[in-house]
Amino acid sequence: MLRKLLLVAALALPAAAFAEDRTFTIEGGQVSVPVGLTVQVKAVTIGEDATKVRLLASFDSHATNSVNMNDGENAYLAWGEGEQDRLHMRQISDNRWMRIGNGQTMEGDLLFPGVIPSGTAKVTLVFNPGKTGEDTNAPGITLPLELKP
């Protein structure tokens, strides 16, 4: 009897471990930089093993024909100051630099393998860390996001 009870408990445990995705609609999650790039985050979804960011990016510039949003360093989501408090973006297979041309708009889901800890109220999305918004090749973007249910 005890053996059957342990078997039933062991089978039920993995099902209980699967938590539902937590989706946050983002209000005010938008930034424009001087080179002509506007980035808007529409939603953040925290799943069991990855975090997804719904993003819209538009580029219109008199300074250059295109920019890379994911250039020398990988884009990341951060919720603290240290390297241990960030998730790096999985590169897009057919556009690993996230190049966007003048007059174009990109919309889609960016995947960040890993999970943001529950209870985290704010994250920061960073593209081209250490660069300024005036960079005509790979402008820096730092976008704070509030995770309100």
Side-chain angles (χ1 to χ4, degrees):
M1 176 69 172
L2 181 60
R3 209 175 227 173
K4 286 183 183 177
L5 182 61
L6 287 175
L7 178 62
V8 169
L11 291 174
L13 184 59
F18 292 116
E20 287 187 32
D21 289 354
R22 294 177 288 150
T23 299
F24 302 91
T25 301
I26 304 299
E27 294 178 19
Q30 178 175 303
V31 66
S32 293
V33 293
V35 75
L37 180 63
T38 301
V39 176
Q40 178 185 21
V41 172
K42 294 182 170 191
V44 174
T45 302
I46 302 170
E48 179 185 344
D49 57 2
T51 300
K52 186 171 55 172
V53 173
R54 184 70 177 173
L55 181 105
L56 178 97
S58 295
F59 181 61
D60 290 286
S61 178
H62 292 288
T64 185
N65 289 326
S66 65
V67 293
N68 295 334
M69 291 179 58
N70 190 42
D71 201 51
E73 289 185 54
N74 213 21
Y76 62 85
L77 275 174
W79 58 91
E81 296 300 318
E83 204 44 57
Q84 72 279 0
D85 295 333
R86 58 175 72 162
L87 302 176
H88 290 273
M89 186 185 81
R90 175 159 295 147
Q91 292 180 352
I92 301 167
S93 62
D94 62 346
N95 190 2
R96 72 182 277 186
W97 308 115
M98 286 185 67
R99 181 166 290 143
I100 183 170
N102 208 356
Q104 292 183 332
T105 298
M106 293 191 305
E107 183 171 10
D109 294 326
L110 303 178
L111 187 66
F112 297 82
V115 178
I116 295 168
S118 62
T120 300
K122 292 182 181 183
V123 297
T124 303
L125 177 60
V126 179
F127 292 100
N128 299 317
K131 300 206 176 183
T132 70
E134 290 92 6
D135 189 307
T136 57
N137 180 48
I141 300 280
T142 301
L143 182 55
L145 305 168
E146 288 192 41
L147 304 179
K148 294 182 180 178

